[in-house]
Amino acid sequence: MDVFQRLSFIVPDGSCNDNMSRAGGRWSEGPSSSHQPYGVKKEEPEEDFAFDEPSLKRQKTSSAPQGRPTRLPTSGRAFGEDLNMNWDLIQLLSERTGVEQWVCLNISQLFREENTIPFIVRYRKEMINHMDADAVRDVQLVLEEIHALAKKTQTISQTLKKEGVLTAELEQALRNCRTADELDHVYAPYKKGSKLSKACRAKQLGLESAAQALLQSPRTLDLRAWVKPGTEGLSTVEEVSTGVEQILADMIAKDGESLTHIRSLCDNSMVMLQSSVSKTALKEQQKEGHQGKPKDIDKFHLYCDFTCSVQRIQHHQTLAINRGENLKILTVKVNIPDCVKSDFCGWCLNVRWKPNGYTREELMKILRDAVEDSYKRLLFPLLSRSYRTKLTVSAEKESIAMFVRNLRQRLLVCPVRGRVIMGVDPGFRHGCKLAILSPTISGYRGKIGVSVKRLCNTVVIGNGTACRETEAFFADLISRRFFQPLDVSYCITSEAGASIYSVSPAAVKEMPDLDPNLRSAVSIGRRVQDPLAELVKIDPKHIGIGTYQHDVSQSSLKAALDGVVQECVSFVGVDINICSETLMRHVAGLNIGRAKSIAEWRETNGPFMNRDQLRLVKGLGPKSYQQCAGFIRINPLDHLNNHRYTQPTNHRYTQPTNHSVCKPAKGKGKGKTKASAAVPTLPNPLDQTCIHPESYAVARSFLSLVGGSVDQMGRPELRQCVEASVKCQGLEALAETLNTTPDTLQLIIDGLTQPPGFDIRQDFEKADFKRGIVSMSDLREGVVLTGRVENATLFGAFVDIGVGRNGLIHKRYITPDKLPADQRRRSLALGPGEKVEVRVLNVDPQRGRIGLDLIRVLR
C-alpha cells in the first residue's frame, strides 16, 4: 500500500488521464505565489503518498499522460544567468538528478517563490510531474549544491582578481567547473599559503611559449635559446626541459577532454578500494601498558585487510572505513589498474597531445615524461579524491535516506485512541515510574493498587533497563487476572530520547510539577497514545533510528530529518485549537515564532472559528498563510469548548454584533494592530478537510454541480452523488468544466468524501499488544515467528520477536521474492513498524545475538 494514499474511491478507466498540457495558466487558486520576492528559502517537506516507492525522479516523464505544464515559460538559460557560469543551471540540475528539464525549471521557480515541499507536493502536483517529497527534496539539495558552487566560484574569482593573478583563461576554467572537486583542482595552485605550483614557477620564468612551441612547431624548437646561466631554473638545458615538462603536465591535468577520457578509462576498469591497519595504530598497539587501541582495532577487524571494487562496495562498508580512517586506525587508498595509465599515456602521445609535425627524440622524451608526471602527480590524486568523495556522498545519502524512512514510519504509527494507558518507565535502582493517561488528557501518577488497577486497560513499558523484569511482572499479573474485570494487555515501546525530553524546557513548561522520572513515564505512554504528537518534541537523532549518524554530514542529516518531521505533521494535519505549540511549529509555513503567536492569539481570543482568522495573527503574512492553511484543521465543535481557553481580555479585536465578520480594532498609543480586511467568524465546514482555501470556490461549484452540499460532507449520500457524476462525465471533463486541474479536483473529492475525523494513520502499522512472554531460551533453529521491525540499517533489519533481544535479518536474506510487489523496487526494503514472518537461523545466548531469515512481510 502506498504510504500516503488518501481514502478515495476508484475513478473509472479513462476519467483520470490527466492532460496537464491544458493546465497551464488555469490555476483556480486565489493567492498566487508568482508575485512573491525571490530568494531560496530552506524550508523542508511533506507528501501525501507513495513514500515506500523509489524516487519517481528517476523515471522518464516525456510520455506521461499529464503532459508538460506551461506556467513557467522562463528559459533554463535565462533562469541561471545570475550565477555567471558557463553552463546551463536547469540542464545541469536535470543531468545531476535525472529529472526532466521542464520539471527542474518549475521546481527551481517554486523554491525561488519560497514554497515549502509539503505545499508543492500536495497542491502543485502538475508542475512537478507528481514527484514525491523525497524526490523533490533531492532536487532541492542538488539545486543548493549548484548555487553554492556558483557562489564559491564568484568568491574565488574576486579573490584572484584582487591578487592580480586572474587571467581570462583562468576565469573561464573556473566558470567551466561543474563540481566542487573540479573547482578545487583548478584553484589549488593559487590558494593562499600554498606553495606556488611547479608549472606557475616555470611560467614565471617565461617557459610557457617553449611548451606551446613543442606542441605546435617542434621542428623549430631549440631549448638552448632559453638557457640563462646564473638564473635558477634556466641555467642549463636540463632545467629548461624540466620547466617545460611541468607546464605540459599542468596543461594535461587541467584539460577537460583529457579528464573526460581518463575517467571513461577508469569506469571501464576494476578500480579497487583498499584498507589496512595504519602504522600509527600498530605503534600504539605495541606500546607497553596501552589498553585502548587494541580494542579499537578489533572493532575494525573486518577492514584491517580489506579490498573491494568501488562499484560493488556497500554503503555501510564505506562509512565504517571512513570512521576507521578518521580514528587513525585504518589507512585507505584507491588502486587504479596499470592499464589505465598505459592507455591514457598512449592516447595523450598519439591523439590529444601529439605534436604538430616531426619531433626529435629529446623533445618526445619531455612530452612522455610530462604525461607520466601529470598522471602520477596530478591526475591520480584527483581521481582518488573523486572516487572517495563519490563513495562517501553516495553512502551518506543512502544512510540519511534510511534515517528519513525509519523516522517517517516511526512518526506515522497509528495512534491508540479511546484507551486509558499506564506508562511505565522501568528501572532497578529507583524502581518503576508510572503515569496514568486518560484517553485525551495526561493524567496523574499512582501506585499499583485497587484504585489504579481498575483504571487502565493498556500498559506501555519502556524498553530500557529492567524492561524484561517489568514485562514479566505485568505478564504475571495478567495471567493471575489481577486487573479483572478489565481485559488488560501490554506492549513494549522504545524509550529512546525520553530521558532527554524529561529535562527539556518543553517538558518543564508542559509538566512543571512533575519529577523528571515521572515525565519520562508520561512520554512513554504518549508514544503509543499519539506517536506523532509526542515524538516531534524530541530531536530526531535521539529517537534511536538508523545507523552511522555520526559519520554523515550533520547539516544534511538535520535538514532531512527536520524536513520529514514537517512533512509528516503537515500530511496528517493539526487541529489548530487543541494541538501543542511544539507540534504547531512543524507545520509547513510555520516556525517557532509564528507558532508562538498563534498560541498567544488562541489564548487571548479563544479558539479559531475558521482558517481565515489565521490572517489576524501577528507575523503570519500572506505567504505563510498560503503554505500552512491547507494543513491546518478547525473542528466546528471547537467553539463549544471555549471554556478550555481564557476569555478574551483587553484584546484588540472587536466582536461585531452579527458575529459574521471580525475587524481589527484601531490600536491606541504605541500598540500596533495588524492591518487586515474584514475576516468572517462563522465556522466553515471545509476548514476540517485537506482542501486548500484557494480552492474553496471550486469545491462549492463542484458540490452545486453534483447536487450536494457542505452539510453532507463525509456522508454516504454525497459519496454516491460524486461517484455517479465522475462515472458519467469523467474526472477530466469535470475539471475542465470547473476551470481547474484534475489533480486539484481529485483533492477536493477526497476532502469532501472522507468521513469526519478521518486520520490517514488509521491504516498504518499499530503497536503490538500481548498478554504473555517468551524468553530467548525458548528459541530453537528453524522456529517460525512473527515480529515487528524496530530499526533498519544499511546491512539489514532488526526485528523485535518478543524475547527481549532484537534479531537481525541480514540484507542477503531480504530478497525481492520475499517482498510484496510494491516494495520490490525500493532500495530500503523494510522499515520500522512493518510486521514480518521470520525463521530463526541461529541463536547465540552468550553474545545475545539472534540470526533471522525473512519469510514474508505481513499485511
Side-chain angles (χ1 to χ4, degrees):
M1 185 190 81
D2 289 339
V3 173
F4 279 172
Q5 184 178 4
R6 290 193 187 86
L7 180 64
S8 57
F9 57 84
I10 299 175
V11 179
D13 291 340
S15 63
C16 60
N17 290 334
D18 308 346
N19 185 4
M20 299 306 169
S21 60
R22 296 182 295 183
R26 202 159 37 84
W27 289 98
S28 62
E29 294 79 11
S32 173
S33 60
S34 60
H35 303 292
Q36 299 298 328
Y38 289 168
V40 176
K41 183 176 182 180
K42 296 181 181 178
E43 283 189 316
E44 305 283 344
E46 188 251 76
E47 217 289 70
D48 304 334
F49 59 91
F51 282 116
D52 286 350
E53 296 297 329
S55 200
L56 296 180
K57 62 185 176 57
R58 297 297 174 188
Q59 300 176 2
K60 283 295 180 183
T61 55
S62 56
S63 60
Q66 56 267 25
R68 303 189 178 193
T70 58
R71 179 175 181 267
L72 300 178
T74 310
S75 69
R77 184 67 192 173
F79 190 84
E81 282 182 352
D82 56 328
L83 299 181
N84 200 23
M85 300 295 284
N86 289 346
W87 34 255
D88 184 288
L89 169 64
I90 301 304
Q91 182 180 354
L92 180 60
L93 182 62
S94 177
E95 292 173 0
R96 294 269 295 272
T97 60
V99 178
E100 288 199 342
Q101 291 191 28
W102 68 271
V103 181
C104 289
L105 178 61
N106 285 353
I107 292 176
S108 300
Q109 182 68 16
L110 287 167
F111 281 132
R112 290 186 72 174
E113 294 170 357
E114 299 185 359
N115 292 288
T116 61
I117 291 181
F119 178 83
I120 292 172
V121 170
R122 176 169 285 182
Y123 300 111
R124 297 293 185 264
K125 289 182 179 180
E126 302 91 341
M127 296 182 66
I128 61 172
N129 202 18
H130 298 74
M131 289 167 62
D132 63 28
D134 287 338
V136 175
R137 188 182 300 110
D138 286 344
V139 175
Q140 182 189 36
L141 292 175
V142 175
L143 182 62
E144 290 176 355
E145 290 175 3
I146 294 174
H147 277 280
L149 174 66
K151 185 176 180 181
K152 185 176 179 181
T153 302
Q154 292 176 5
T155 302
I156 291 174
S157 296
Q158 292 172 1
T159 301
L160 295 178
K161 187 175 182 179
K162 288 180 181 178
E163 295 175 355
V165 296
L166 183 65
T167 63
E169 180 183 1
L170 177 57
E171 185 175 13
Q172 291 304 311
L174 291 171
R175 290 184 181 181
N176 287 332
C177 293
R178 300 163 70 93
T179 66
D181 281 344
E182 290 181 10
L183 182 62
D184 290 339
H185 181 64
V186 174
Y187 178 50
Y190 306 95
K191 284 184 179 179
K192 270 190 176 182
S194 62
K195 294 181 180 179
L196 201 61
S197 71
K198 294 179 179 180
C200 288
R201 289 196 296 267
K203 288 179 181 179
Q204 289 179 352
L205 293 173
L207 294 176
E208 187 171 9
S209 58
Q212 294 289 350
L214 190 151
L215 297 173
Q216 297 172 5
S217 54
R219 286 178 178 270
T220 60
L221 177 61
D222 185 2
L223 295 180
R224 290 175 295 181
W226 272 267
V227 175
K228 295 181 180 179
T231 302
E232 185 178 358
L234 298 176
S235 58
T236 64
V237 174
E238 288 74 16
E239 289 184 357
V240 172
S241 300
T242 300
V244 172
E245 174 189 319
Q246 292 165 348
I247 292 174
L248 289 172
D250 184 70
M251 292 170 59
I252 294 169
K254 292 180 179 177
D255 177 60
E257 189 173 338
S258 298
L259 288 171
T260 301
H261 184 74
I262 196 169
R263 282 172 178 152
S264 66
L265 291 175
C266 289
D267 290 341
N268 295 322
S269 304
M270 190 66 71
V271 179
M272 310 295 287
L273 186 73
Q274 179 182 345
S275 65
S276 57
V277 181
S278 68
K279 294 180 180 179
T280 303
L282 291 174
K283 288 179 181 179
E284 292 291 340
Q285 188 179 33
Q286 293 170 1
K287 286 183 179 180
E288 294 183 1
H290 191 82
Q291 300 294 327
K293 285 296 180 181
K295 294 182 181 178
D296 289 340
I297 292 178
D298 289 342
K299 292 179 182 178
F300 294 92
H301 70 277
L302 293 175
Y303 306 102
C304 290
D305 186 16
F306 177 85
T307 303
C308 184
S309 166
V310 294
Q311 279 121 2
R312 303 192 62 179
I313 191 169
Q314 301 296 311
H315 296 301
H316 68 276
Q317 293 173 330
T318 298
L319 294 176
I321 289 172
N322 288 350
R323 181 189 295 180
E325 185 180 36
N326 291 334
L327 294 173
K328 298 184 178 179
I329 295 173
L330 299 177
T331 296
V332 186
K333 62 180 181 179
V334 175
N335 293 326
I336 299 177
D338 292 338
C339 62
V340 171
K341 176 183 176 181
S342 59
D343 291 347
F344 176 73
C345 291
W347 176 81
C348 286
L349 294 171
N350 298 312
V351 181
R352 176 61 178 163
W353 300 96
K354 183 179 180 180
N356 185 17
Y358 171 76
T359 309
R360 299 188 301 278
E361 176 58 30
E362 63 268 20
L363 297 181
M364 282 302 300
K365 182 179 184 304
I366 293 175
L367 183 58
R368 282 195 298 269
D369 291 344
V371 172
E372 291 195 9
D373 180 54
S374 179
Y375 176 84
K376 180 180 179 180
R377 182 169 55 89
L378 301 174
L379 289 176
F380 181 82
L382 173 66
L383 293 171
S384 296
R385 289 194 303 270
S386 177
Y387 275 113
R388 294 294 305 279
T389 299
K390 287 180 181 178
L391 291 175
T392 299
V393 169
S394 178
E396 287 189 357
K397 183 178 179 181
E398 193 73 6
S399 182
I400 291 174
M402 182 73 72
F403 268 100
V404 165
R405 184 166 175 271
N406 288 353
L407 178 60
R408 181 184 292 119
Q409 294 195 225
R410 185 67 59 85
L411 293 176
L412 294 179
V413 170
C414 180
V416 175
R417 306 293 193 190
R419 295 194 191 188
V420 178
I421 291 177
M422 177 190 291
V424 182
D425 184 8
F428 286 122
R429 186 172 181 180
H430 300 289
C432 295
K433 283 71 68 178
L434 311 178
I436 305 297
L437 310 178
S438 75
T440 55
I441 304 174
S442 300
Y444 51 83
R445 57 193 186 275
K447 300 176 181 178
I448 292 187
V450 176
S451 59
V452 176
K453 78 176 186 178
R454 307 222 183 256
L455 285 176
C456 69
N457 51 14
T458 301
V459 179
V460 179
I461 305 170
N463 66 346
T465 304
C467 168
R468 293 295 295 170
E469 291 75 13
T470 305
E471 180 186 12
F473 173 72
F474 278 100
D476 180 62
L477 291 180
I478 292 173
S479 66
R480 293 193 285 108
R481 302 187 178 183
F482 175 79
F483 296 98
Q484 277 195 339
L486 297 177
D487 182 19
V488 175
S489 58
Y490 71 89
C491 74
I492 297 175
T493 191
S494 170
E495 63 176 38
S499 298
I500 296 175
Y501 163 73
S502 66
V503 295
S504 67
V508 173
K509 181 180 179 180
E510 188 177 4
M511 297 173 280
D513 300 328
L514 288 187
D515 180 89
N517 293 320
L518 293 170
R519 292 179 194 145
S520 295
V522 173
S523 178
I524 289 170
R526 286 177 175 174
R527 292 180 183 210
V528 172
Q529 192 178 53
D530 192 340
L532 178 62
E534 187 62 23
L535 292 177
V536 295
K537 304 173 185 176
I538 302 167
D539 189 331
K541 290 187 289 186
H542 297 149
I543 296 179
I545 53 174
T547 55
Y548 298 102
Q549 70 179 49
H550 300 296
D551 299 305
V552 301
S553 168
Q554 295 303 297
S555 58
S556 299
L557 177 62
K558 184 179 187 305
L561 296 183
D562 289 347
V564 79
V565 171
Q566 184 193 61
E567 167 194 321
C568 292
V569 172
S570 302
F571 158 70
V572 173
V574 299
D575 189 329
I576 197 68
N577 287 321
I578 63 174
C579 73
S580 67
E581 184 180 323
T582 303
L583 183 65
M584 199 189 311
R585 68 181 57 158
H586 293 289
V587 176
L590 300 184
N591 54 27
I592 295 176
R594 292 168 191 154
K596 183 179 180 181
S597 297
I598 291 174
E600 290 174 351
W601 193 98
R602 187 174 65 185
E603 290 296 322
T604 303
N605 299 276
F608 287 88
M609 306 299 291
N610 53 56
R611 285 171 171 168
D612 279 335
Q613 286 187 317
L614 288 168
R615 300 176 186 270
L616 302 176
V617 177
K618 180 181 178 182
L620 198 69
K623 192 65 184 182
S624 299
Y625 175 79
Q626 179 199 39
Q627 298 300 303
C628 74
F631 308 113
I632 285 176
R633 306 286 183 269
I634 297 181
N635 191 324
L637 299 179
D638 284 339
H639 68 283
L640 299 178
N641 301 323
N642 200 13
H643 65 276
R644 296 186 58 228
Y645 301 89
T646 58
Q647 292 298 318
T649 56
N650 195 28
H651 55 82
R652 298 179 185 145
Y653 299 98
T654 58
Q655 188 73 16
T657 54
N658 62 3
H659 299 285
S660 59
V661 296
C662 180
K663 296 182 179 179
K666 294 181 179 180
K668 296 182 179 181
K670 296 182 179 179
K672 294 182 180 179
T673 301
K674 182 173 180 178
S676 173
V679 174
T681 60
L682 293 176
N684 187 338
L686 294 175
D687 288 343
Q688 56 184 318
T689 70
C690 60
I691 303 172
H692 198 281
E694 62 189 9
S695 299
Y696 281 1
V698 179
R700 295 189 187 97
S701 299
F702 176 72
L703 284 171
S704 176
L705 187 65
V706 300
S709 66
V710 291
D711 298 332
Q712 297 176 308
M713 285 196 322
R715 296 181 184 176
E717 52 265 32
L718 178 61
R719 189 181 187 87
Q720 292 173 1
C721 291
V722 171
E723 287 180 344
S725 296
V726 173
K727 184 176 182 180
C728 178
Q729 301 183 50
L731 185 70
E732 188 173 310
L734 285 171
E736 189 171 1
T737 300
L738 296 168
N739 195 30
T740 189
T741 63
D743 277 314
T744 300
L745 181 57
Q746 182 62 61
L747 187 67
I748 291 172
I749 291 173
D750 291 342
L752 295 175
T753 56
Q754 288 167 350
F758 174 77
D759 190 335
I760 192 66
R761 293 174 294 173
Q762 65 193 24
D763 295 326
F764 291 173
E765 303 295 341
K766 300 178 175 62
D768 280 330
F769 293 95
K770 51 186 178 179
R771 295 174 177 81
I773 187 171
V774 179
S775 67
M776 191 170 175
S777 60
D778 297 327
L779 296 180
R780 298 289 184 275
E781 291 185 15
V783 172
V784 175
L785 303 166
T786 59
R788 190 173 296 279
V789 177
E790 281 292 307
N791 194 13
T793 69
L794 297 175
F795 53 83
F798 289 96
V799 180
D800 179 8
I801 53 176
V803 297
R805 283 281 184 176
N806 291 337
L808 172 65
I809 307 177
H810 194 274
K811 63 182 300 182
R812 64 175 174 270
Y813 297 118
I814 306 176
T815 54
D817 58 297
K818 300 176 182 178
L819 300 171
D822 61 341
Q823 290 182 225
R824 292 174 184 170
R825 290 187 297 149
R826 69 188 198 197
S827 59
L828 310 174
L830 296 176
E834 293 191 89
K835 208 167 184 178
V836 293
E837 186 177 43
V838 296
R839 179 181 293 104
V840 178
L841 295 178
N842 52 73
V843 181
D844 187 347
Q846 292 183 342
R847 302 172 69 187
R849 294 185 177 182
I850 305 169
L852 302 174
D853 178 22
L854 176 64
I855 297 178
R856 61 192 176 107
V857 178
L858 302 176
R859 292 292 179 91

